[in-house]
Amino acid sequence: MQLSHNFNYNTGRLFTYDLDPQTGLYSLLVENLSRDLVRKQFTETIRPEIIYNFTKQARLIANVGIQFMQTYNRFNKGHPDINRFNTYLLPSLSFSNAVFSLSYNVSVRQPEINSLRPDTTVYNQFSSNSGNPLLKPTRSHSLNVSVYLNKPERMLSTNINGYFSINENSVFSERKTSSQNVSFSRPINKTGSYNSSLSGTESKSFKKFNNWQVRLTDRISANYQHNFFNINGQDGFQNTLSGTFSQQVFANWNNKFEFNPTYTINPSFTSYQNVTIKSIRYATQSLYIPTVIKLVKRMTFEANYSYTYNPQVAPGQQRSSN
């Protein structure tokens, strides 16, 4: 049996002032563009669980969290408070042994208080937005998997991690534009966004030779996001696939010379569904070379060189060294 209690206190205060022509000071409060939001949230969770040990290292844990959530939203400015008292059932299941783990979890989060505000903010004659007091909490389902492989006799270790999450009632800002080019946005609930990732790390050390210690580390990861998208009154989806490949070399000679270069490349590809917008693809690269030299007692020389390449930033290349 697990018991937990959390308390969160958040404020969203924004006061906008206009110029007072009589004093020359910005002292005239603009009510329409000002906010004074306060949220207090109490969360209590009771989580009875069942643990079954297959072996000394293999274990299965199943539980259902009973969560009581009290959320107090105060908007001030004469608007009525929105207080919510909810109870949720949050199942969880996990299995683990010496080299593998798998877990499934469910969580719930309330919409941001700014998204719930019961008023409309008019920025100018062409743009305005409002809150939505009827927004529902977002419910997330997540799956995690990990594999650990360690071979001391070969001085080799490998870690692999996977993640997948899907949301119910995500909060999405819906924007509508009239024929007179007047836009209005409002948060709504939508279901169908998800996120997944896969990453791996392998590290190989070599036996010491001629006072040299050498280690190679490779890291690779990929992330895929499927989110809602809105442009020019068109509703669709944004799909982003991004990755990282990094290779690091660590070399140390007799604790007097240390060389640790790292090269990283980050490709990214974004495509769109049901909207007329072109895909975006690019790749950034970086090289980082820290060096440490200790030839004289009580004296250390350190040098770092870094190089980055980003095709999206003019002139496209950034270099720095120190």
Side-chain angles (χ1 to χ4, degrees):
M1 175 78 72
Q2 300 179 19
L3 302 175
S4 64
H5 173 77
N6 291 300
F7 170 72
N8 291 297
Y9 179 84
N10 304 102
T11 60
R13 293 188 170 100
L14 174 65
F15 300 103
T16 304
Y17 295 90
D18 207 348
L19 179 66
D20 187 339
Q22 296 182 354
T23 63
L25 301 175
Y26 284 87
S27 57
L28 299 179
L29 181 66
V30 183
E31 288 284 349
N32 182 58
L33 299 178
S34 299
R35 299 169 189 168
D36 186 11
L37 311 177
V38 179
R39 166 176 284 183
K40 297 178 182 179
Q41 188 175 85
F42 300 86
T43 307
E44 301 84 27
T45 306
I46 303 173
R47 194 175 290 275
E49 63 182 16
I50 299 175
I51 302 176
Y52 182 80
N53 294 312
F54 296 94
T55 64
K56 290 184 178 181
Q57 295 182 324
R59 169 183 293 188
L60 177 68
I61 301 177
N63 63 60
V64 176
I66 305 171
Q67 188 171 88
F68 306 94
M69 184 179 293
Q70 308 91 48
T71 308
Y72 303 89
N73 300 293
R74 191 173 71 225
F75 303 95
N76 295 309
K77 296 174 63 175
H79 297 302
D81 297 347
I82 296 180
N83 300 324
R84 294 181 170 182
F85 306 92
N86 305 102
T87 302
Y88 305 104
L89 295 179
L90 308 176
S92 175
L93 182 68
S94 66
F95 171 81
S96 63
N97 59 23
V99 298
F100 174 81
S101 67
L102 176 68
S103 64
Y104 166 76
N105 295 280
V106 178
S107 62
V108 172
R109 64 180 181 274
Q110 293 289 336
E112 298 292 336
I113 184 173
N114 185 58
S115 299
L116 293 171
R117 56 188 174 82
D119 61 6
T120 299
T121 301
V122 179
Y123 298 105
N124 52 54
Q125 59 181 332
F126 298 105
S127 178
S128 63
N129 69 37
S130 74
N132 184 357
L134 300 179
L135 285 176
K136 299 177 182 179
T138 300
R139 190 178 182 92
S140 299
H141 303 260
S142 62
L143 183 68
N144 291 272
V145 59
S146 298
V147 178
Y148 320 96
L149 299 175
N150 187 22
K151 299 180 180 180
E153 69 282 359
R154 298 179 55 188
M155 304 177 71
L156 178 68
S157 64
T158 304
N159 296 325
I160 301 174
N161 298 283
Y163 173 80
F164 178 80
S165 175
I166 188 169
N167 298 319
E168 301 176 49
N169 292 320
S170 299
V171 178
F172 173 72
S173 181
E174 182 184 53
R175 180 179 296 273
K176 295 183 178 180
T177 304
S178 69
S179 58
Q180 289 78 32
N181 203 31
V182 177
S183 66
F184 173 76
S185 61
R186 182 172 184 255
I188 62 172
N189 286 120
K190 298 188 76 172
T191 296
S193 65
Y194 59 86
N195 177 37
S196 61
S197 65
L198 182 65
S199 63
T201 302
E202 185 174 78
S203 181
K204 168 66 175 177
S205 298
F206 298 88
K207 292 182 179 180
K208 192 173 182 179
F209 60 97
N210 297 330
N211 292 325
W212 279 98
Q213 289 179 309
V214 178
R215 182 177 66 251
L216 302 178
T217 302
D218 294 326
R219 297 180 177 90
I220 188 170
S221 65
N223 182 274
Y224 182 79
Q225 295 180 335
H226 178 76
N227 294 315
F228 305 109
F229 189 79
N230 176 279
I231 185 172
N232 298 329
Q234 296 179 329
D235 291 323
F237 295 94
Q238 181 186 64
N239 304 310
T240 300
L241 176 63
S242 59
T244 298
F245 174 74
S246 174
Q247 191 167 56
Q248 181 184 56
V249 179
F250 173 82
N252 182 290
W253 180 75
N254 203 29
N255 289 327
K256 293 182 178 180
F257 174 78
E258 188 174 292
F259 183 64
N260 190 17
T262 303
Y263 170 76
T264 304
I265 183 170
N266 302 99
S268 178
F269 175 70
T270 301
S271 61
Y272 300 88
Q273 294 177 238
N274 305 328
V275 295
T276 53
I277 186 171
K278 293 182 179 180
S279 300
I280 302 172
R281 64 181 67 193
Y282 64 93
T284 62
Q285 301 180 61
S286 66
L287 177 64
Y288 178 59
I289 307 176
T291 305
V292 179
I293 301 175
K294 301 178 182 178
L295 295 179
V296 182
K297 191 174 183 180
R298 297 183 180 178
M299 182 178 293
T300 301
F301 174 78
E302 295 185 10
N304 296 297
Y305 175 79
S306 62
Y307 167 86
T308 61
Y309 172 75
N310 187 344
Q312 290 192 313
V313 178
Q317 295 186 4
Q318 297 178 353
R319 295 187 182 93
S320 63
S321 60
N322 60 295

